[in-house]
Amino acid sequence: MKIKNKIIAILANNGGGEMLIRGLDLKDEYKAINFRKAINKAIEALIESEKEYIKQCNLTTGDKGKLIGSDEDIKRFQELRAEYHKDESEIECKTISFVSWAKLKQDNIALAIREVEEALEGGFWLAPEEKNNP
């Protein structure tokens, strides 16, 4: 499944890489564990790209990751990061049921973020099937 790097950043900034997985049926639990691994791999790529952008822009990082450098270089870094966030990454995952998705969201606030939830619908989780009423 392709996912925007912006979604990977949202997951990274909200604990998505530390996703708690419990109470799912065994097949969905296994799929969720593999999804967490794939997300962590994508987060690592995101971190490496940001490190490279810091080097390219002649910046350093200070306390709590604050960028140190000229305003022009910081602006250039932010532009590079914004472009990266527009790109997509391939995340290997298999779909889980809506019931399992709902359980995952209870323990993982990062998954309940609207943008994340919408980005993962149809790829990582499937909406419940509606029964047609006559």
Side-chain angles (χ1 to χ4, degrees), residues 130-134:
E130 295 182 25
K131 295 181 181 173
N132 292 334
N133 292 326

Side-chain angles (χ1 to χ4, degrees), residues 114-129:
R114 181 191 51 81
E115 288 177 282
V116 173
E117 187 169 37
E118 291 174 1
L120 299 179
E121 181 179 8
F124 179 54
W125 65 274
L126 295 176
E129 292 186 27

Side-chain angles (χ1 to χ4, degrees), residues 3 7-8 11-12 14-22 24 28-41 43 91-94 96 100-112 116 120 124-125:
I3 185 171
I7 301 300
I8 302 297
L11 287 167
N14 290 284
E18 301 301 319
M19 188 182 345
L20 293 175
I21 302 168
R22 59 183 176 183
L24 309 182
D28 281 352
E29 188 164 328
Y30 182 74
K31 292 173 187 178
I33 290 168
N34 285 330
F35 176 74
R36 181 177 58 201
K37 288 178 186 176
I39 289 297
N40 279 314
K41 186 176 177 182
I43 289 171
I91 302 295
E92 290 188 39
C93 69
K94 294 183 180 179
I96 62 173
S100 292
W101 170 251
K103 286 180 183 177
L104 275 177
K105 286 195 318 176
Q106 289 174 353
D107 289 331
N108 299 284
I109 192 73
L111 298 179
V116 173
L120 299 179
F124 179 54
W125 65 274

